[in-house]
Amino acid sequence: MSVGHFTDAGGYIDHGDASVLFPVEEIDAVVHTHRDAELALKDASADSVLVVRPTGFASSYALTQRPLTAIEVLSLDDELRELLGEGVDGDLSNFELIQVGKAVAPTKNRSLAEF
């Protein structure tokens, strides 16, 4: 199963420029985590994924401590999209998902949904 598009994404945004997304649990948007994020990212083309990348040791540590997360760009409110768009090269509307974190190793699907 896909572990995200961390190395082949269509675009990247620095952790500092994406600070308006944190804490992810508090934003008003469609947010997928864990297995749901893996499935969403598997179905998305690499070009349509914007990845939050670390800018230093502290941000790298913070991102690796988070579960793999996929945020649907269209579900973000206009103000949040505008703030994020300032840190992105190009147009934010070209992206379908924002990936936060990455799976550090392939994991098995242990969801009850498979039963």
Side-chain angles (χ1 to χ4, degrees), residues 38-103:
E38 288 183 19
L39 293 173
L41 291 165
K42 177 184 172 202
D43 293 339
S45 70
D47 291 337
S48 69
V49 177
L50 178 68
V51 173
V52 177
R53 68 176 165 202
T55 53
F57 182 72
S59 63
S60 178
Y61 181 78
L63 288 172
T64 57
Q65 297 306 304
R66 299 197 53 76
L68 180 63
T69 303
I71 304 165
E72 293 184 14
V73 173
L74 289 177
S75 69
L76 296 170
D77 63 40
D78 293 336
E79 181 181 342
L80 198 53
R81 275 198 305 248
E82 186 177 321
L83 290 170
L84 284 173
E86 295 172 5
V88 178
D89 293 334
D91 190 8
L92 184 63
S93 64
N94 293 335
F95 299 101
E96 178 184 340
L97 295 170
I98 299 172
Q99 177 180 325
V100 179
K102 69 177 184 173

